[in-house]
Amino acid sequence: MRPFAQLDADLLRRYDMAGPRYTSYPTAREFRPDFGEAEYRRHVLSGHSGAEAPLSLYVHIPFCENPCFYCGCNRLITRDHAAADRYLDPLAREIALVASLFGKNRPVRQLHLGGGTPNFLRPEQLSRLVDGLGRGFFLTSSAERDYSVELDPRFLTVEFIDTLARLGFNRASFGVQDFDPQVQRAVNRIQSEAQTLEAIAQCRERGFQSINVDLLYGLPRQTVEGFGRTLSAVIGARPDRVAVYGYAHLPQLFKAQRQLDAAALPNAETRLALLRLAIEALGAAGYRYIGLDHFALPEDDLARARERGDLHRNFMGYTTHADCDLIGLGVSAISHVSDCFSQNHRDLQHWEGALDDGRLPIWRGLVASFDDIVRADVIQRIMCQGVVDVRAVEERHHIVFGEYFAEALAKLGPLGADGLVTIGAREIRATDRGQLLLRLLAMCFDHYIGPRADAAEPPRFSKVI
Ligand code: SF4
């Protein structure tokens, strides 16, 4: 698959609009405050996943030592590491409360620590967190496990990596963005190439099976030459996965971004050239396109899952664990259990206050309707395979596809005319040139898309390119 081969700049410009990343459908924007603890408990207890079905856990560590100016994450900037101890106390209570609902028979097949910066924790704090998880949940040592962590090489110690390895972590994801010093100064993230490559090597030496590197294009002062050097250095380290995200400049939503020099942001042509360069360089180095902004080596689990047709997408991004209920723990974390979604309070005070009162810290959520479930199924197939098997969707949901999705198919028509998708009676398939615009195809099936007076919050979507 060559997602850029036939994509002309004119077409990309025409379709360069904002849209969801579809880590869930409905997106978090639709979650409602009238979904609370009682609804969550009811749905977990009546869930149909089975007493021994595997689980996926996400734990949010919100602290960072230094603010990156491009950041759109929910994080707290501090150098006070005792703040992590104060966070781990209520987090332990949340773990115990949630775990009591799920029992200890369900193996945790996927565990992910995200942030913020998970390696803000000291090794002993990390041990304490994972011990707490192990007391509540069935953490497995199976080779099938997928225990991953986001790491910031600037603050990473050998002791921390040793502790991760001892606790069973086998995947690491490194934030890099760009090694170009003038970009790093502009975004307030000074991180040397040597420091990053050393951290990757240390994880490999300690048996980590999979390494991911995150890059960002569209940053201030970024040039094709500088980004090309970054790509060469990253490809030289041969990470199993590479994500190349497009920077979304939304200073009205993310305060940190107001510190960036907007005049130094690359124009649309340069953004496109940066993306083209990344796709070509990764393709030439043997990486396969997974979807959206993700690439993986052919032997990586994600590439294999994409080939087999069982790749899945959830709040952690692309994953091979389609059958797991996902439990989010910590401030702002999102869960997807059975047919319901829920999100914890986004601010520490409310999150902690609920736990102090012995309550689950749920801020908002929703129970997916039949229509949500059918559309989520189609959107998953588009985002993960680029193909919708029409008959299979009809059989799974007992619908007549052409009637149920008449409006969506009408919206899809112009994209078909532009050669982004083929629309047949049996199959809807993204073409090679449509692969980079999967979000656009998915948006045709999204009932909630567009400005709406009843939306819980304004759209916070990034551009599709
Ligand atoms: S980009 Fe990552 S490391 Fe930087 S401030 Fe945001 S969460 Fe922290």
Side-chain angles (χ1 to χ4, degrees):
M1 187 192 315
R2 302 184 60 213
F4 216 103
Q6 304 160 42
L7 208 53
D8 58 82
D10 210 42
L11 193 72
L12 275 182
R13 255 193 301 274
R14 207 143 37 88
Y15 285 116
D16 186 18
M17 56 184 77
R21 297 179 57 77
Y22 292 115
T23 51
S24 73
Y25 180 83
T27 64
R29 182 188 174 212
E30 307 306 327
F31 297 178
R32 300 275 156 185
D34 57 8
F35 180 102
E37 178 171 6
E39 288 73 22
Y40 180 81
R41 284 182 179 275
R42 198 165 49 244
H43 280 274
V44 170
L45 296 174
S46 63
H48 44 67
S49 302
E52 296 187 1
L55 290 174
S56 185
L57 302 186
Y58 170 81
V59 185
H60 192 73
I61 308 295
F63 307 105
C64 296
E65 286 205 19
N66 183 63
C68 308
F69 292 164
Y70 55 81
C71 184
C73 299
N74 186 26
R75 86 282 189 271
L76 292 158
I77 306 297
T78 178
R79 301 224 163 138
D80 173 16
H81 287 260
D85 281 319
R86 293 192 292 277
Y87 182 70
L88 290 177
D89 289 339
L91 185 58
R93 289 200 291 280
E94 184 184 6
I95 292 168
L97 269 177
V98 175
S100 68
L101 297 175
F102 287 87
K104 244 189 133 172
N105 289 330
R106 300 180 63 174
V108 176
R109 194 186 288 163
Q110 186 180 30
L111 167 64
H112 183 75
L113 306 188
T117 307
N119 57 300
F120 179 90
L121 300 180
R122 301 290 190 215
E124 59 280 9
Q125 292 170 326
L126 173 68
S127 296
R128 188 179 145 203
L129 166 64
V130 177
D131 287 350
L133 289 169
R135 271 193 299 281
F137 295 98
F138 171 16
L139 298 185
T140 173
S141 55
S142 150
E144 306 292 297
R145 78 188 186 284
D146 183 347
Y147 286 11
S148 58
V149 59
E150 293 165 20
L151 295 174
D152 184 334
R154 295 173 297 167
F155 307 104
L156 189 59
T157 62
V158 171
E159 292 72 31
F160 193 84
I161 302 175
D162 283 338
T163 309
L164 284 169
R166 178 176 61 75
L167 294 170
F169 285 85
N170 54 4
R171 295 180 188 270
S173 178
F174 289 91
V176 169
Q177 326 316 343
D178 194 335
F179 286 133
D180 187 334
Q182 66 168 355
V183 177
Q184 294 197 348
R185 277 194 297 277
V187 301
N188 194 37
R189 184 177 176 127
I190 310 294
Q191 172 181 333
S192 80
E193 187 180 317
Q195 186 178 42
T196 308
L197 300 185
E198 175 68 11
I200 291 175
Q202 285 169 340
C203 284
R204 284 231 171 88
E205 278 163 24
R206 281 154 185 83
F208 278 62
Q209 289 163 10
S210 173
I211 301 290
N212 174 78
V213 167
D214 287 344
L215 300 176
L216 205 50
Y217 71 91
L219 292 172
R221 310 214 176 280
Q222 218 164 19
T223 62
V224 171
E225 296 71 33
F227 199 51
R229 283 193 293 275
T230 297
L231 283 162
S232 301
V234 167
I235 288 169
R238 213 69 189 148
D240 306 82
R241 299 173 185 177
V242 180
V244 189
Y245 298 106
Y247 168 62
H249 191 56
L250 301 167
Q252 67 283 12
L253 292 177
F254 305 117
K255 250 195 200 161
Q257 296 184 355
R258 292 175 204 162
Q259 295 172 86
L260 285 181
D261 177 7
L265 288 168
N267 61 21
E269 269 68 35
T270 310
R271 268 183 81 97
L272 214 53
L274 293 164
L275 175 61
R276 184 190 291 271
L277 178 72
I279 291 170
E280 287 176 354
L282 290 164
Y287 285 84
R288 298 258 167 90
Y289 180 63
I290 300 300
L292 218 56
D293 22 39
H294 284 67
F295 300 81
L297 290 173
E299 57 278 13
D300 183 85
D301 289 350
L302 288 185
R304 290 203 173 122
R306 165 122 192 174
E307 245 167 53
R308 282 195 309 268
D310 55 14
L311 186 67
H312 186 70
R313 194 160 166 75
N314 66 18
F315 291 108
M316 294 183 251
Y318 284 108
T319 163
T320 54
H321 305 287
D323 51 344
C324 294
D325 279 331
L326 167 62
I327 300 171
L329 299 158
V331 67
S332 76
I334 296 180
S335 301
H336 181 191
V337 176
S338 192
D339 294 336
C340 79
F341 296 91
S342 62
Q343 182 171 22
N344 282 351
H345 288 291
R346 270 204 293 227
D347 65 294
L348 261 185
Q349 215 186 350
H350 283 96
W351 174 78
E352 200 174 334
L355 289 161
D356 285 348
D357 294 344
R359 290 181 286 114
L360 288 173
I362 293 172
W363 168 39
R364 61 180 185 169
L366 68 75
V367 181
S369 66
F370 171 77
D371 182 64
D372 292 335
I373 292 167
V374 179
R375 288 173 190 272
D377 186 9
V378 172
I379 288 172
Q380 273 279 340
R381 309 285 149 177
I382 293 173
M383 297 301 292
C384 296
Q385 267 75 48
V387 185
V388 180
D389 179 335
V390 168
R391 290 280 155 76
V393 173
E394 290 184 326
E395 276 169 25
R396 278 198 294 275
H397 303 290
H398 312 290
I399 58 165
V400 177
F401 195 95
E403 289 174 15
Y404 197 91
F405 286 119
E407 202 184 319
L409 291 169
K411 286 187 195 166
L412 214 50
L415 304 186
D418 275 332
L420 300 176
V421 59
T422 57
I423 307 159
R426 288 170 173 270
E427 182 183 88
I428 294 168
R429 180 178 286 273
T431 59
D432 276 1
R433 69 190 330 212
Q435 289 293 333
L436 271 180
L437 297 166
L438 293 176
R439 288 156 85 177
L440 273 184
L441 309 187
M443 282 159 72
C444 295
F445 291 88
D446 185 339
H447 166 75
Y448 301 97
I449 207 76
R452 294 194 338 273
D454 64 334
E457 60 180 38
R460 303 159 72 97
F461 305 136
S462 56
K463 294 273 188 81
V464 298
I465 289 293

